[in-house]
Amino acid sequence: MTDVWHHAQEQFFAVADRLKLSPAIKAFLSEPEVVHNFTVPFTMDDGSTRIVSGIRAQHSFARGPAKGGIRFHPGVTIEEVKALSMWMTWKCAVVNVPYGGSKGGMIIDYKALTRREQERATRAYARRLLPYIGPDLDIPAPDVNTGPREMAWICDEYSHYVGHPEPAVITGKPVEYGGSLGRTDATGRGVAFAVQRYFEIKGEPLERKRVVIHGFGNVGQWAARVLSKMGAIIVAVSDSAGGIHAEEGLNVEAAIEHKESTGRVSGFAGTEMSNEELLELECDILVPAALEGAIHAKNARKVGAKLIAEGANGPTTPEADAILEKRGIALIPDVLANAGGVTVSYFEWVQNRQRMYWTIHDVHQRLRDIMRGATDDVCRIANEEKVNWRVAAYLLGVERVAAAVRMTRADF
Ligand code: NAD
């Protein structure tokens, strides 16, 4: 059992005990309902055949069709995919979208393939998946190394399989091909809505709060953009090559332009610093938006933020969590903070099924309502149960899933 799956199960068992779930429900939810493991053969440009491994874990169908991304990476493992599928179940339940959780992966150095090889690999993976996905069964989405282009290829394969166009089988599609407006910025925007609500509840203004963004990619850039529009000051940002810091605040749009043209944030403005130094900066809000495990036992004692809003999935290790809590550092957990992405994916699916498309204003407004409502729910449970926000979010998510299971399985 690798660490990440062990971590996901331990987290679940702790919450299940607290909720006093029956042994049957606890056992049922502690494993994915289904795990598909298959070979994916495809043709390379030189005519040779490559065979790689593909996985799809469907953790839960209790609240609706399963929902979760697809990652193409050499480091993918079954245990990682299982853990991510379980986290998707809780995340969908926290924001109360009518889905269970799933995740898919292909063990492949995808970036090393040519564009034509990428298309053949993605379509071959999709063909293996076809019997197990569908608008009422399991709805994939992008994750590491996959984006709108891959979603379009998979949707095309599925549409040929069922014999008619079926955009609702997958989300994160290009807007020209059934995607929703506002999907690209949804996760970062959702982080900003959760942070805004957190300060409203605290009775403190968000204006002039100092923000550090660790990982200036899609999520980090959009969180920075929206938080700065809300009046916060972005004092530092970083990517894998290092960070920059300017106490008076960075011009976010110009920093994004610089990152797009040079591929990195360094050299834009302010003082250059390492990622470790950036995490230690004194600030009001830290948004980890890079990788899993960025805040760990060794650096958690030095984190300089008062609030951490987890844009990334699993950026804080369990050891770091305990240290941060002891130090009184507040945290908005990933299953709440970054749920804006799956929320707008849900909007995309609804629009595809209705064959009626919403304005960007509608998407933003509904996303805002859902993120604020979920933040209020988590805060209420944290106060009632006297637990931190991570435990509160899990209590909310797991109890919603368990309640759905109880409705259909009297013997549980
Ligand atoms: P991305 O690839 O666009 O951006 C990641 C950024 O992190 C890049 O700028 C990269 O340079 C930087 N980075 C990588 N290693 C780093 C390091 N060691 N230190 C500092 N920066 C580093 O990815 P993204 O879509 O923004 O996703 C970021 C995180 O958010 C991931 O954990 C992802 O699973 C999670 N997430 C994304 C979405 C979404 O809709 N994109 C939704 C939910 C969760």
Side-chain angles (χ1 to χ4, degrees):
M1 187 185 285
T2 62
D3 268 345
V4 60
W5 175 232
H6 182 68
H7 173 189
Q9 278 199 319
E10 289 299 311
Q11 257 176 349
F12 166 68
F13 287 137
V15 172
D17 289 343
R18 215 184 162 103
L19 288 168
K20 299 193 173 52
L21 296 188
S22 72
I25 293 189
K26 191 169 151 180
F28 185 60
L29 293 178
S30 71
E31 286 284 341
E33 289 193 37
V34 188
V35 181
H36 302 285
N37 192 0
F38 41 83
T39 51
V40 182
F42 65 95
T43 310
M44 299 292 282
D45 286 349
D46 64 6
S48 64
T49 302
R50 278 266 314 266
I51 300 176
V52 298
S53 288
I55 306 156
R56 184 79 181 165
Q58 296 165 327
H59 173 257
S60 174
F61 297 97
R63 301 181 75 252
K67 182 95 189 80
I70 294 175
R71 58 174 59 179
F72 291 165
H73 194 272
V76 165
T77 63
I78 292 190
E79 286 77 13
E80 178 193 51
V81 174
K82 282 168 64 173
L84 291 163
S85 74
M86 180 188 262
W87 283 324
M88 280 306 295
T89 302
W90 314 143
K91 188 183 297 187
C92 291
V94 166
V95 282
N96 215 0
V97 297
Y99 292 140
S102 56
K103 205 81 180 188
M106 182 154 65
I107 305 172
I108 190 168
D109 188 359
Y110 189 68
K111 282 188 177 170
L113 302 180
T114 65
R115 188 196 164 284
R116 293 161 76 89
E117 288 166 347
Q118 288 181 340
E119 176 167 352
R120 287 195 291 269
T122 303
R123 286 184 181 274
Y125 177 82
R127 285 194 294 274
R128 288 296 209 197
L129 264 192
L130 294 177
Y132 316 128
I133 60 173
D136 294 308
L137 179 58
D138 183 3
I139 307 137
D143 195 76
V144 175
N145 289 338
T146 62
R149 201 179 57 159
E150 283 73 21
M151 301 305 108
W153 290 331
I154 297 171
C155 188
D156 185 52
E157 287 291 330
Y158 187 82
S159 297
H160 282 289
Y161 174 67
V162 293
H164 59 84
E166 186 43 277
V169 68
I170 200 160
T171 61
K173 299 179 292 298
V175 172
E176 302 79 357
Y177 187 63
S180 176
L181 296 174
R183 175 62 188 88
T184 313
D185 51 307
T187 306
R189 189 175 295 278
V191 170
F193 285 145
V195 167
Q196 183 186 45
R197 187 65 189 146
Y198 170 90
F199 282 106
E200 280 177 19
I201 294 168
K202 260 193 120 201
E204 279 182 33
L206 175 56
E207 287 77 26
R208 308 210 59 75
K209 290 274 187 289
R210 291 154 53 255
V211 182
V212 170
I213 308 270
H214 176 258
F216 203 52
N218 171 286
V219 177
Q221 290 179 10
W222 277 104
R225 256 186 181 134
V226 182
L227 283 167
S228 91
K229 287 226 170 74
M230 289 172 173
I233 302 171
I234 313 303
V235 295
V237 300
S238 73
D239 55 30
S240 51
I244 48 171
H245 171 222
E247 205 43 39
E248 68 283 7
L250 293 161
N251 177 331
V252 175
E253 292 307 325
I256 291 172
E257 262 174 45
H258 176 85
K259 163 93 181 152
E260 269 166 15
S261 59
T262 66
R264 52 184 58 197
V265 294
S266 72
F268 169 62
T271 315
E272 307 267 329
M273 57 174 49
S274 69
N275 270 296
E276 282 303 307
E277 289 168 322
L278 178 125
L279 291 171
E280 294 172 18
L281 284 172
E282 282 199 11
C283 64
D284 297 296
I285 307 157
L286 168 66
V287 180
L291 300 176
E292 288 148 38
I295 305 173
H296 44 74
K298 288 197 182 129
N299 63 12
R301 276 181 196 84
K302 299 190 208 146
V303 165
K306 294 185 187 135
L307 168 71
I308 297 174
E310 294 185 328
N313 284 318
T316 313
T317 66
E319 297 79 22
D321 239 355
I323 297 168
L324 296 173
E325 187 166 16
K326 258 196 203 137
R327 292 186 55 212
I329 296 173
L331 186 142
I332 308 179
D334 47 9
V335 289
L336 170 61
N338 72 32
V342 75
T343 302
V344 175
S345 272
Y346 165 58
F347 296 165
E348 181 175 333
W349 177 81
V350 170
Q351 294 170 78
N352 291 154
R353 307 209 84 179
Q354 293 178 332
R355 302 286 200 264
M356 193 173 128
Y357 287 82
W358 305 353
T359 64
I360 189 74
H361 175 77
D362 285 341
V363 172
H364 288 171
Q365 196 60 37
R366 289 177 200 249
L367 173 63
R368 182 173 179 272
D369 290 348
I370 287 184
M371 292 306 299
R372 289 167 74 85
T375 307
D376 286 348
D377 287 341
V378 170
C379 176
R380 176 179 44 76
I381 293 170
N383 293 338
E384 281 170 10
E385 301 293 323
K386 302 196 174 14
V387 292
N388 65 38
W389 278 38
R390 190 185 306 281
V391 175
Y394 273 88
L395 288 172
L396 174 66
V398 173
E399 175 49 34
R400 278 187 175 147
V401 180
V405 174
R406 275 185 220 111
M407 293 300 138
T408 52
R409 295 191 183 252
D411 52 331
F412 275 28

